[in-house]
Amino acid sequence: MTHKSWAEPWRIKVVEPLRMTTRPERELAIERAGYNTFLLDADDVYIDLLTDSGTSAMSDRQWSAMMIGDEAYAGSRSFTKLQGAVRRYYGFEHVIPTHQGRGAEHILSRLLIKPGDHIPGNMYFTTTRAHQELAGGTFHDVIIDEAHDADSEHEFKGNIDISKLRALIDEVGASRIPYVAVAATVNMAGGQPISLANMREVRELTRPLGIRVILDGARAVENAWFIQQREPGQGRRLVAEILHDMCALADGMTMSAKKDSLANIGGWLALRDDDIAEGARNLVVLYEGLHTYGGLAGRDMEAIAVGIEESVSEDHIRSRIGQVIYLGEKLMDAGIPIVRPIGGHAVFLDAAAMLPHIPRDQFPAQALAAALYVESGIRSMERGAVSAGRDEKGENRYPALELVRLTIPRRVYTQAHMDIVAESVIEIFDIREKVTGLDIVYEPAHLRFFQARFEPVKRLVGTTPRAHAIGSLALVGE
Ligand code: F0G
């Protein structure tokens, strides 16, 4: 019998107690953290929805595999297992481990991008674009317009707009495009999937021109589940089969094993081409470690190998995304503006819609994440103008989406936790007019969202509503 519910296909063997703080403690904590949830001590957090990256719970099988990790410097048996799992489930011949996803992005960007090159992709991701730019390339967003619209119900908001891609090729020439970066799912669009049909179109357009396709596979299993649920003709196929088909349409992949693969650390770069793989192995020994461990311990590679297999289980993926949808639907029922359709790894609050009284240069999403923490102890993450950083001229980039991400780690929290999260967001929504904007007071050179510091706006601006004029250091409330 198949149940309608997504109930967890596991039971709990080990628990980790949570600590609840008081509101005055949290006010102090967020002030000390410069109103940046990345800078909070995890001990001051009640439910941690900062990220689903490296925060998932491992299974008893993964933990026991770690005990038999082979820590040989070269030719580790654990590497052979990892390589076998990637070959089997993702279908790439060459597998080069890296310490995490950005390690693979770094190697790939150095290897394939020449100064002056252009890299089209379905929306930027922070670390991915940073490595493309450091290698001298320019990123171009060629995602469909619907992806920038929080209210569009398009089922595959991660799709590439083929006419935008074609226009870029016509403008800069195929020889200046080393590859198309295809993310599945698209994190910054709200965890939105790309369809198999669209990936095929991208492949058909690029192949005759000699342009490669590189898949960002961090959440490709989640993407495969959406394809199974939504794409005509895919409903009876296994997620594992769909994943294989997706990978078959790419020349290589960068991977953060901290997401789909249920590991706390790790990643890989996988390739088909022998020469590029050789180049990557040469670089990986410089930046990560020998090509059979790439910055990972043998036990990490064991955990990833088992995690890959568990990640494609139908029961697992159904309950994983089922839980995200459960939270999203609760919020939608309460009238909270969120990105729709609900994505695979997170529910994204539309901070611009929730806090229209805060101008974009006072970072409404950053302010909302801080306020949610102060009110409830729940940690979320800004995904708006702070994450987008600055352009070549040093001006703030203002992406169309100004979001707060409630990211759900895999196999960690229960439905009751999701109920608390929903209640807390609804409470903030009820007092939203009291949330004040933030001024940036410290900004690092790269990926500023990780370490930037803020202060509540104090200045009195003529047209700003009452909340701004208060100028109190308390973030919410008079
Ligand atoms: N690609 C995507 C789509 C990601 O979401 C991430 C990481 C990376 C690449 C980089 O991988 O962290 O292993 O180096 N995303 C995390 C997040 C940080 O919270 O979304 P990494």
Side-chain angles (χ1 to χ4, degrees):
M1 180 177 103
T2 33
H3 298 273
K4 275 206 233 77
S5 166
W6 51 269
E8 295 82 356
W10 36 260
R11 57 184 173 180
I12 296 163
K13 189 179 281 189
V14 178
V15 296
E16 184 183 350
L18 297 175
R19 191 171 88 91
M20 188 58 184
T21 47
T22 62
R23 195 176 191 285
E25 281 173 336
R26 293 193 297 275
E27 278 173 7
L28 257 180
I30 198 75
E31 198 188 327
R32 271 201 312 267
Y35 296 85
N36 184 346
T37 53
F38 275 101
L39 301 179
L40 287 167
D41 285 343
D43 273 351
D44 293 331
V45 173
Y46 171 42
I47 298 176
D48 202 346
L49 306 185
L50 184 73
T51 178
D52 63 332
S53 182
T55 53
S56 296
M58 293 209 296
S59 67
D60 51 357
R61 283 184 64 225
Q62 283 177 294
W63 279 110
S64 55
M66 286 184 82
M67 277 305 289
I68 53 169
D70 176 4
E71 305 304 340
Y73 187 91
S76 155
R77 177 181 66 236
S78 306
F79 166 70
T80 310
K81 285 193 198 162
L82 171 63
Q83 177 178 254
V86 176
R87 282 182 178 162
R88 177 160 178 217
Y89 291 102
Y90 292 85
F92 293 99
E93 172 63 18
H94 299 287
V95 182
I96 300 159
T98 56
H99 77 283
Q100 59 183 83
R102 69 199 70 177
E105 291 168 354
H106 174 212
I107 304 293
L108 182 87
S109 302
R110 271 190 182 255
L111 197 60
L112 296 185
I113 300 172
K114 293 184 299 300
D117 279 354
H118 300 270
I119 306 93
N122 49 350
M123 204 173 270
Y124 84 101
F125 183 70
T126 53
T127 59
T128 320
R129 184 178 64 195
H131 281 297
Q132 292 163 353
E133 289 174 350
L134 284 171
T138 304
F139 173 78
H140 297 265
D141 187 3
V142 293
I143 203 165
I144 56 172
D145 288 342
E146 286 87 342
H148 298 283
D149 174 2
D151 293 331
S152 160
E153 298 278 0
H154 196 293
E155 290 200 314
F156 290 101
K157 277 168 127 175
N159 279 357
I160 285 180
D161 184 328
I162 300 295
S163 59
K164 285 186 195 169
L165 178 56
R166 199 174 277 129
L168 180 74
I169 297 170
D170 290 345
E171 189 194 326
V172 303
S175 64
R176 304 277 23 197
I177 302 181
Y179 59 89
V180 182
V182 176
T185 59
V186 181
N187 192 349
M188 303 301 277
Q192 303 294 327
I194 178 170
S195 70
L196 257 186
N198 186 251
M199 284 192 74
R200 273 194 208 103
E201 280 185 283
V202 172
R203 181 75 285 182
E204 279 160 23
L205 174 63
T206 52
R207 196 196 294 276
L209 301 170
I211 300 174
R212 297 177 200 92
V213 172
I214 301 290
L215 176 71
D216 178 338
R219 300 181 185 85
V221 180
E222 291 171 7
N223 196 109
W225 185 83
F226 283 117
I227 289 175
Q228 183 197 59
Q229 298 299 307
R230 296 179 184 169
E231 193 157 346
Q234 301 295 327
R236 289 177 184 276
R237 303 186 63 220
L238 294 174
V239 163
E241 293 170 331
I242 298 169
L243 178 69
H244 222 271
D245 286 3
M246 291 167 64
C247 293
L249 295 164
D251 299 291
M253 75 180 292
T254 54
M255 181 66 181
S256 169
K258 303 171 73 172
K259 282 83 170 177
D260 271 351
S261 307
L262 297 160
N264 298 126
I265 195 70
W268 68 78
L269 173 61
L271 295 156
R272 291 187 206 291
D273 184 276
D274 296 345
D275 294 336
I276 300 175
E278 195 190 326
R281 283 193 199 96
N282 286 336
L283 278 182
V284 91
V285 295
L286 281 174
Y287 294 108
E288 301 279 313
L290 195 76
H291 60 279
T292 57
Y293 75 83
L296 297 173
R299 55 182 169 272
D300 299 326
M301 294 191 281
E302 292 280 344
I304 299 169
V306 176
I308 291 171
E309 194 189 318
E310 292 181 354
S311 73
V312 297
S313 137
E314 299 285 320
D315 284 346
H316 162 71
I317 196 70
R318 176 166 174 254
S319 83
R320 188 283 184 275
I321 301 182
Q323 188 179 43
V324 178
I325 291 174
Y326 173 82
L327 173 63
E329 284 181 347
K330 275 209 141 196
L331 294 177
M332 276 164 65
D333 289 349
I336 310 287
I338 65 169
V339 174
R340 299 192 315 270
I342 297 159
H345 66 303
V347 175
F348 289 73
L349 306 176
D350 186 344
M354 263 176 94
L355 306 175
H357 60 282
I358 300 183
R360 285 301 293 275
D361 65 356
Q362 292 176 10
F363 308 114
Q366 189 78 30
L368 181 58
L372 179 64
Y373 170 73
V374 170
E375 288 301 311
S376 65
I378 294 165
R379 171 153 73 168
S380 57
M381 182 198 291
E382 191 265 9
R383 291 275 87 150
V386 180
S387 293
R390 294 182 184 272
D391 62 18
E392 320 73 57
K393 296 195 201 98
E395 301 291 330
N396 280 324
R397 287 174 166 131
Y398 290 112
L401 299 176
E402 177 74 16
L403 309 175
V404 167
R405 188 179 76 172
L406 301 166
T407 336
I408 317 297
R410 298 161 188 80
R411 310 192 291 204
V412 171
Y413 294 113
T414 64
Q415 182 163 329
H417 289 116
M418 295 302 113
D419 291 344
I420 296 270
V421 173
E423 279 169 22
S424 306
V425 173
I426 292 164
E427 263 172 49
I428 281 283
F429 189 63
D430 289 344
I431 56 162
R432 58 192 179 278
E433 279 159 23
K434 294 185 183 171
V435 179
T436 63
L438 297 170
D439 281 329
I440 209 159
V441 293
Y442 163 72
E443 185 170 341
H446 298 292
L447 302 175
R448 65 178 179 178
F449 58 95
F450 282 132
Q451 294 166 77
R453 300 183 70 86
F454 302 82
E455 271 175 11
V457 284
K458 286 190 211 108
R459 61 176 174 266
L460 206 129
V461 185
T463 52
T464 42
R466 190 173 50 93
H468 283 166
I470 295 165
S472 126
L473 263 184
L475 194 72
V476 175
E478 282 95 331

